[in-house]
Every structure is written in structure tokens, then in C-alpha cells.
Amino acid sequence: MTPKRVELDLADLSVRQVNAALQAADQGIFHVLHPGGEHALACGLDAPIEVHVDGHVGYYCAGMNKHASVTVRGNAGTGCAENIMSGLVRVQGDASQSLAATGHGGLVVVEGSASARAGISMKGVDIVVGGDVGHMSAFMAQAGHLVVLGDAGSDLGDSIYEAEIFVRGSVASLGADCEEKPLDEEHRSILAGLLQRAGFAVDTATFKRYGSARRLYHFSIDHMDEY
Amino acid sequence: MSDHPDKPHTPQTVPRKSATFDDYTLSEIRRAAATGIYDIRGGGAKRRLPHFDDLLFLGASMSRYPLEGYRERCDTAVTLGTRFASKPIELKIPITIAGMSFGSLSAQAKEALGRGATAMGTSTTTGDGGMTEEERGHSAKLVYQVLPSRYGMNPDDLRRADAIEVVVGQGAKPGGGGMLLGQKITARVAAMRTLPEGIDQRSACRHPDWTGPDDLAIKIRELREITAWEKPIYVKIGAARPYYDTALSVKAGADVVVVDGMQGGTAATQDVFIEHVGIPTLAAVREAVRALQELDMHRKVQLIISGGIRSGADVAKALALGADAVSIGTAALVAIGDNDPALEEEYQKLGTTAGAYDDWHEGNDPAGITTQRPELAQRLDPVKAGRRLANYLAVMTMELQTLARANGKSNVLNLEPEDLVALTVEAAAMAGVPLAGTRWIPGSDA
């Protein structure tokens, strides 16, 4: 049976009405029209529905997503897919700061660039950015993967825990306790899987890998310069 | 008189220690010199501060009519979250249990807090690290904290909470993040926080996806959208600039503002932070109330005060100054067995004494409360400990009613600043009530 296609037009409906309809659905394809940069659109979803937002969105679009697939056909404001648990969030334009902040799982794809603090405190989410990421990306990143096809801003991976970062372009600077690591076969395989899931056909050999030096895991007076 | 008949007597002064370099200060200098690391501890400010003890109730007199102590009704119920939430939280007593994490506390301690609070019809609160089944299962009313770290943050828990508390700061360390050292990062705690086992964990001090009150307003809207506008949303601030922070919390859309003074405890942070950042609880209450009153939001946005609340008298004074409820943390831990003199021998082995034990971060608590060591945690019987907490809350509530009746109030929320005077100039200025025996309110324009 073909899933039903539903249009939700923000020219006629409130954000609450649109979100209530999406949160109540357990299946279906939904098109959210005239988003007009509204905040908190398609947040708190908890079912394998498909949502297409036809335009730009404000803060926290697809926040705390579970199971759903949300595509933004435009740019996304701060905290897109924050604390995502599972499912897929794709931004076809650019994303503002704190992309997928604290995300626990799922996949977040930005076809353009993402601003500062992409993947801040990420806890298992996979993030693939087609363009660049801003400063302090993957700050305190705990788990998951951040893949950047363009360049990374300053202080990449500052105070990083066990997350993995792959960057194809330049890195302005690494943050405290973040270091370059070998890109071995195991990691190339992980990277290839992420790129394939995100829909980017790029040679994995062109990336560098970064992760935690694990020097700050226990407080030590010998590392005072890094604190 | 000289020992020797030929030698004149020279009077000697008694040895005098410096008030500036007192014994504690000297010991801290020696400790710092020996270790090269700052002192970390749990709890709140230990220094002497102006507090509710510096206020007195006037009681009834010619112009005020008292209520009969054991007969006439004195209501204690309070409803929190009446501004926007479709399901406000209704408490039988205006005393709640403050946010304390599983991780800093044992699962048994969290269960005990839930049991005690539930028995008295009040709420308890999660902490850094998320919600455990023990605390959800044993807390009829549970407030779920949204902290900067977002450890264990989960939309399912958000939806099964009774209220949500966005934590901007806490009184022990306004501007500081959480700290949980490796000794307490067991496999279960590590898994809940998505961290490697055994590392020193320092939580973020800033939220990852918002900065400032304008962003917070949008964040709160998102939380409401995720929970269908049902849950009361609290904003908790460490007492620093309570007038502005309360006003900005209201602007951001809070249903409830929680103001935590510097006597409020923490699981662990630097001693220098605890003792030197933030302001006393007494100094924060009236400023927070003033902000609400100027915005015509007093009693519409509820105010919870915490930090050093120990008795029904403290509760009554906080309410009289304009709070809607209080929150207790340290006192609740003491009620369930923290720092019990019965464990003195074990405290001595840890180099301390009952009443002073504050190395909560080390996880060696003989009372089984601030520990993750199973052999210590199992010492705490959550049923008995929960009963002790319920008893303590009952006593505080009866004390509160006693004072309210004495001031002629049939509802504890009818207590008012006019029922109070201050014993010191400092307390009079901070609380905005007259110095006892005068009409002088220092700093007042009147």
C-alpha cells in the first residue's frame, strides 16, 4: 500500500498544529509548506514517517528526532536535529550553529556548510557535512562520527572524548586534546559507509582522521597548559 | 612572679594565631603546596553568611489575629506551572527535593528520595546523567532536568516527566559545570552518560544549543512542542544577579523560576568556586520577587528558593519573602543518613569527622549515599531512608504551619514580609525588612 501523502501548510496552520499532526502519525509522507523560518518544526517525532519541509526553517528543526526521516529543502537555523536519537535529518542548504548538538544516534546530513559548534557534545550521532564546518565543531564530542568534505574552522574537536572526525579539506586548528590519527582500513570502511549513506561519492583516501589524545581524561597538574 | 629572686619577671603574651592566616587557611596552603591541585569537595558554602536565622517572625498581636495551633486549618498545597502548562504540578507541601544525579548519588539514595517525597506528596528531581528507573518508579512527581551536558537526555524521559527544569546554573557554582570524578564513573554511570568508564568527567558549563535569553525562549518553545505544552517548565539559576536573571527567565517563557543561593550544595567542584562565587540565598529572594512583582508575574510565575533550607522556619521565612516553594538537597541527604555521627569511626578513617565529611566526589561515603561502590551503597535501605525523609518533611511542614498560624495565616502562602523583622543590619538590607525594633530598612528608598 502506498503511504498516504499529506500536506501541512503553515500559511493556514500553526506550528503546534503541524507538529501535533506529525507527532500523532505512525506512518505516511508529509510535506510541510511555507515554513517561513519557523522554530521547532517537526521536533519530537517518534515514528518512521517521512517529512519534507519545503523551505527554510528556524531553530531546532527535527529536534530530538526518533525514527523519522526529515528533509529540509532550504537552510536550517541553530540546533537543527539537536539531541537526535535515531532516523535521518537532511538539510539541502546550509545549517547554522550547533548542528545535531548532543545527538545520540541517527544520521544528519548537510549538503551545504554548517556553522560553529557542529556536533557539539555529540553522543553517538553520525554527521556528514558536504561543505565546511565552523569553529569549535565536535567540541566535547563523546561518540559518533563527524565527516566534513570541506574545511574545518579553528579548535576542531576541543576536549573531545571518543567521537571520530574525518576532514577532507584543511583544519584551521585542532582544539585541546584533539590529534590527527592514522586513517587505517577499519576507519576507511566506516567512512565509506557514512559517505554512501549520506549520498556523497568521494574517495576516502582524501580524508584525514582526528580523535582524542586522551591526555585530559584524568586531571593532572602536568597538563595545566591545556586547561 | 619570677622563679629567680634576682631576675625581674617579664610578662609573656599568650600565643596568638592570625585571624587572616587561621588554622584552616594554613592547612589549605600546606595542602596546595604538597599536591599542586586545588581542593575539590561537595556541598555548599561553609563560611558564615547572612541567612534566614537572621530574621524573626513577629507573630500575632493587637493588630493580627492568630489561628488555633492544632485545630484551625492552615493549607500547605501549592500548584506550580500555572502560566503555560496544561498539566501543572500539584504539591501537597511547598518543599521539593532538589536535583541530584544518579552518579553523584547511589541508586538506593535516589530511590529513598523518591519514596520520601512521594509519601509527602511532593516532587523530586533528576540530575546530570538522566533519569533512572529507580527514581521514576518511586517518584510520583518527578522533575526532569535539561542540563548543559545533556547526558542521558532522552525525549521519552522528557515526555514521562511531570515537569522539566532547564538548568542554567546552581548556587554552589554559578557559571560552573558539573564534575564527577573517575572513582564514580562505574559501567552503569558511564553508559548513561556515553563516556569511557573511570575517566574524570567534567560537564559543560554552557548549553550546547542556546546562548542568552532570546535563544532560551526558543529552546523552551521546542521543549513545549515536544511535550505538547503539557509540562511545567522551570528555569533554575544560581543566585548571582537574581533580579535580572528572574526577569529574563520570565521573558524566556518559564512557568517556574528556581533560584539557588550559594549555600546550595553540589556533588563536587572546586572549594574556591563554592566559597567565592554567587550570593547568599537570603540576598537573592527579595530581588527575585521584585523582578516578578515589577512584571506583574508574582504568583503567576512561581518562585522556588533553595540553598541552605533546613527547617520549617527557613521555609516560612522564604515564603514570607515571596517564594511559592523551597527546594532542599543537603538537608534531604542528612535526613536519609549523610554525615551521621553513628559512622564517626569510619569518617575518622577518611580523615574527617561526622558533620564535616564533604569528599563526596571520592565515592567512599560510609553512609552509602554519595557513592557508586556497591558494598557501600547497599548499606542504605531505601525504604527506611525514605521514611526518615518523609518524617523530616512532615516536621518541616508542621513547623511551617505553626509559624503561619502564629502570624494569623490560614494558608502558608499568605505569609508576607510584614510578618518579619531582621536581627542584623545586613539581613535587614538583604531581605528588605526592618531591623528589629526600628522602622529602618537599609537601602530602602522609603
Side-chain angles (χ1 to χ4, degrees):
Chain A
M1 194 175 80
T2 308
K4 63 178 180 178
R5 184 183 190 281
V6 178
E7 287 191 352
L8 299 167
D9 192 342
L10 277 155
D12 305 321
L13 302 170
S14 66
V15 171
R16 179 82 289 266
Q17 288 171 315
V18 168
N19 281 338
L22 296 174
Q23 289 164 356
D26 55 10
Q27 60 176 333
I29 299 172
F30 296 84
H31 286 256
V32 177
L33 309 178
H34 302 108
E38 286 282 6
H39 303 304
L41 277 175
C43 63
L45 304 187
D46 193 15
I49 62 171
E50 193 177 310
V51 180
H52 300 269
V53 183
D54 291 341
H56 307 309
V57 294
Y59 283 39
Y60 311 128
C61 179
M64 302 203 192
N65 187 62
K66 283 180 76 182
H67 308 301
S69 170
V70 179
T71 300
V72 177
R73 295 173 174 169
N75 300 325
T78 294
C80 179
E82 67 85 21
N83 212 76
I84 180 174
M85 305 300 290
S86 62
L88 168 69
V89 175
R90 176 181 290 273
V91 178
Q92 293 183 335
D94 298 321
S96 187
Q97 58 190 342
S98 302
L99 171 73
T102 76
H104 285 70
L107 175 66
V108 176
V109 181
V110 174
E111 296 182 7
S113 292
S115 185
R117 292 177 279 276
I120 181 172
S121 295
M122 53 194 282
K123 295 168 170 51
V125 64
D126 293 324
I127 305 170
V128 182
V129 178
D132 306 331
V133 295
H135 68 270
M136 297 292 278
S137 287
F139 175 57
M140 294 181 90
Q142 296 170 229
H145 304 91
L146 171 64
V147 180
V148 182
L149 277 69
D151 302 330
S154 58
D155 294 313
L156 178 71
D158 193 283
S159 305
I160 190 171
Y161 291 97
E162 292 297 300
E164 299 267 5
I165 307 171
F166 302 95
V167 182
R168 191 167 67 148
S170 65
V171 173
S173 66
L174 294 175
D177 212 29
C178 185
E179 65 179 13
E180 185 176 345
K181 296 189 167 195
L183 184 72
D184 56 27
E185 200 50 47
E186 177 198 348
H187 298 104
R188 284 181 65 167
S189 171
I190 292 169
L191 177 57
L194 292 166
L195 289 167
Q196 192 267 329
R197 284 169 62 206
F200 291 104
V202 185
D203 181 4
T204 57
T206 58
F207 285 80
K208 287 183 177 174
R209 172 178 162 246
Y210 305 91
S212 178
R214 303 189 179 104
R215 284 190 300 267
L216 301 183
Y217 277 11
H218 292 92
F219 191 93
S220 167
I221 193 66
D222 298 331
H223 298 144
M224 197 158 174
D225 291 346
E226 299 210 52
Y227 295 129
Chain B
M1 194 177 117
S2 169
D3 290 343
H4 196 286
D6 300 329
K7 199 171 179 182
H9 169 66
T10 305
Q12 298 288 307
T13 58
V14 295
R16 181 184 183 187
K17 291 186 176 179
S18 167
T20 304
F21 290 89
D22 61 11
D23 281 348
Y24 177 79
T25 304
L26 296 173
S27 69
E28 169 53 21
I29 292 171
R30 291 186 196 102
R31 191 207 59 76
T35 64
I37 188 169
Y38 42 46
D39 188 26
I40 294 172
R41 68 171 176 86
K46 289 189 170 184
R47 63 162 75 209
R48 182 163 185 80
L49 293 165
H51 198 38
F52 293 117
D53 286 340
D54 299 316
L55 302 180
L56 293 172
F57 280 106
L58 292 171
S61 54
M62 289 289 280
S63 60
R64 302 288 171 118
Y65 200 72
L67 299 184
E68 197 67 55
Y70 291 95
R71 299 196 181 108
E72 288 181 286
R73 188 172 175 81
C74 180
D75 291 330
T76 60
V78 62
T79 304
L80 304 175
T82 52
R83 186 185 185 192
F84 291 123
S86 64
K87 294 183 178 175
I89 189 165
E90 294 178 1
L91 306 178
K92 289 183 180 169
I93 60 173
I95 309 164
T96 68
I97 306 300
M100 291 175 275
S101 76
F102 167 70
S104 67
L105 300 188
S106 64
Q108 287 85 341
K110 289 295 288 180
E111 180 180 333
L113 294 176
R115 285 177 177 276
T118 299
M120 286 302 293
T122 190
S123 63
T124 184
T125 312
T126 66
D128 221 354
M131 184 188 291
T132 66
E133 292 306 319
E134 289 95 332
E135 63 186 339
R136 178 63 280 189
H138 293 286
S139 304
K141 296 181 190 340
L142 182 60
V143 183
Y144 186 46
Q145 287 192 328
V146 176
L147 291 126
S149 73
R150 310 282 167 85
Y151 292 136
M153 184 74 222
N154 185 318
D156 296 334
D157 290 337
L158 204 61
R159 284 185 279 259
R160 66 178 180 153
D162 299 289
I164 296 163
E165 181 170 286
V166 179
V167 179
V168 178
Q170 61 185 106
K173 47 181 177 183
M179 184 181 277
L180 198 64
L181 300 189
Q183 299 94 318
K184 295 171 84 170
I185 306 285
T186 61
R188 185 181 178 197
V189 174
M192 283 181 70
R193 299 181 186 219
T194 327
L195 287 170
E197 201 174 327
I199 70 163
D200 292 344
Q201 172 255 293
R202 274 157 286 165
S203 306
C205 62
R206 300 185 297 270
H207 280 265
D209 55 354
W210 63 268
T211 309
D214 294 331
D215 284 5
L216 176 58
I218 306 171
K219 186 70 197 173
I220 288 175
R221 272 171 57 192
E222 183 208 11
L223 295 170
R224 292 197 192 281
E225 284 293 322
I226 292 172
T227 54
W229 291 73
E230 290 180 348
K231 321 282 183 191
I233 296 189
Y234 305 4
V235 173
K236 178 176 179 176
I237 54 179
R241 301 170 185 86
Y243 174 78
Y244 294 107
D245 289 344
T246 300
L248 291 169
S249 298
V250 171
K251 175 185 179 293
D255 292 304
V256 176
V257 180
V258 183
V259 178
D260 188 27
M262 70 184 291
Q263 299 99 316
T266 176
T269 206
Q270 299 93 334
D271 177 78
V272 70
F273 208 147
I274 298 171
E275 294 289 353
H276 297 279
V277 184
I279 64 172
T281 305
L282 184 67
V285 186
R286 285 313 297 277
E287 284 294 278
V289 172
R290 185 166 69 89
L292 293 173
Q293 289 170 333
E294 288 181 7
L295 293 167
D296 192 25
M297 283 290 169
H298 191 221
R299 305 295 187 209
K300 297 174 186 169
V301 168
Q302 285 79 36
L303 176 68
I304 299 178
I305 291 295
S306 59
I309 304 289
R310 306 150 298 174
S311 66
D314 290 345
V315 182
K317 291 168 186 174
L319 298 190
L321 292 177
D324 293 272
V326 301
S327 210
I328 61 169
T330 305
L333 297 188
V334 172
I336 66 173
D338 174 63
N339 268 293
D340 190 333
L343 298 165
E344 179 60 20
E345 200 174 315
E346 296 193 60
Y347 289 124
Q348 293 274 339
K349 287 179 194 165
L350 295 170
T352 185
T353 185
Y357 176 64
D358 58 13
D359 289 327
W360 298 346
H361 57 290
E362 292 181 350
N364 297 321
D365 184 0
I369 296 168
T370 59
T371 183
Q372 291 300 316
R373 286 172 54 187
E375 73 278 15
L376 294 176
Q378 70 182 12
R379 292 180 177 185
L380 187 75
D381 180 336
V383 177
K384 288 182 181 170
R387 204 170 296 136
R388 285 199 295 271
L389 176 59
N391 286 340
Y392 172 57
L393 289 170
V395 169
M396 290 178 91
T397 304
M398 288 188 286
E399 289 175 342
L400 166 63
Q401 289 173 305
T402 298
L403 294 173
R405 289 192 185 100
N407 286 280
K409 307 297 197 278
S410 60
N411 187 313
V412 294
L413 291 177
N414 291 342
L415 286 162
E416 54 197 327
E418 288 72 17
D419 295 323
L420 293 168
V421 292
L423 284 168
T424 68
V425 174
E426 289 85 353
M430 290 179 185
V433 300
L435 186 66
T438 78
R439 288 183 289 171
W440 182 39
I441 303 175
S444 165
D445 296 333

